[in-house]
Amino acid sequence: MNKEKRLLKEQKKKEKQLKKKKQKRIKELKNILDWMHIQAIDEYGIYLSKGNKDMVVRGLVLSSNNIFLKESYAKARDVFALSSAFDRLKGVTYFKFVKTPIRLSSNVNRLSEDLEIEKNPGRRKLMKISIDKMDDAMQVRKEMAFYVLVQDKPDVIDKRLYALKQEMNLAGLHPQVMGITDYEAVVAQQFENEIVNEYMYSSLIVDQEVYQNAIDQVKAC
């Protein structure tokens, strides 16, 4: 009986210590967030507050565009379209290269829905294996993502995001609106300080002399 009491006492002591550590971690994290002026994150953006000023950060996921595989005319056209888009945009624009979990949640959801109505045992087994593999991949592996973000007051941020999306569409980048996983990845990078080599993603120096004819053709269109 004494042994059971002693074990129970030790267990309670460990639970108390874990609770204190958790409370300390929450307090430290809150202090870090306060220092960064981040108040909240949801599927609509990152919410900032500094003094009496409230701001929202929203953004887009840009699709990969391997410009090096294109002909001179197409290359010059894309560069000119993107530079023109940024010339038309008002306000500050931010770019982030971030490593994010592999985007397989939609595939998992689709397979899970199919699994609910599937009766064949063999197919059910294969579906479960596929779901488990995709869950593991999302937990362990990461992929490169390229975000472009805007920051503004809550009453105008949607208008800014719409204008940004329109311009990115015109530049041929086919963007998608960021979701909560994307916003969490952007903020997490600040804490983890994971370095992403931007040159791994893309780099380009436009030689004015070499591409001048192509650039003139684009401007004439």
Side-chain angles (χ1 to χ4, degrees), residues 129-146:
I129 291 172
S130 297
I131 290 171
D132 289 340
K133 283 184 176 179
M134 285 189 282
D135 280 333
D136 289 340
M138 285 190 291
Q139 292 295 325
V140 177
R141 302 186 181 278
K142 292 187 176 182
E143 61 184 352
M144 187 85 77
F146 182 29

Side-chain angles (χ1 to χ4, degrees), residues 28-65:
E28 288 173 350
L29 183 59
K30 185 177 183 298
N31 289 338
I32 293 169
L33 291 175
D34 286 344
W35 177 73
M36 292 179 66
H37 314 301
I38 297 174
Q39 299 301 306
I41 305 168
D42 63 18
E43 65 270 27
Y44 298 109
I46 302 170
Y47 301 86
L48 312 174
S49 181
K50 188 176 181 181
N52 296 323
K53 195 174 182 180
D54 292 329
M55 303 289 279
V56 183
V57 175
R58 297 196 68 190
L60 305 172
V61 186
L62 298 186
S63 60
S64 178
N65 188 351

Side-chain angles (χ1 to χ4, degrees), residues 58-63 81-82 85-86 88-90 93 148-150 157-178 183:
R58 297 196 68 190
L60 305 172
V61 186
L62 298 186
S63 60
L82 187 58
F86 289 132
R88 290 188 293 267
L89 285 171
K90 296 179 180 179
T93 305
V148 54
L149 306 104
V150 288
I157 188 64
D158 288 343
K159 187 177 179 181
R160 286 280 312 279
L161 183 68
Y162 177 78
L164 178 65
K165 190 175 182 181
Q166 290 291 94
E167 293 297 346
M168 294 301 100
N169 273 324
L170 288 172
L173 292 174
H174 313 296
Q176 294 181 346
V177 176
M178 291 171 64
Y183 292 120

Side-chain angles (χ1 to χ4, degrees), residues 10 90 111 198:
E10 287 178 358
K90 296 179 180 179
L111 268 179
E198 298 182 8

Side-chain angles (χ1 to χ4, degrees), residues 2 34 40 70 75 88 96-97 117 119 143 198 216:
N2 289 334
D34 286 344
K70 298 185 176 183
K75 193 181 294 187
R88 290 188 293 267
K96 293 287 290 183
F97 295 86
I117 59 175
K119 304 297 182 184
E143 61 184 352
E198 298 182 8
D216 290 340

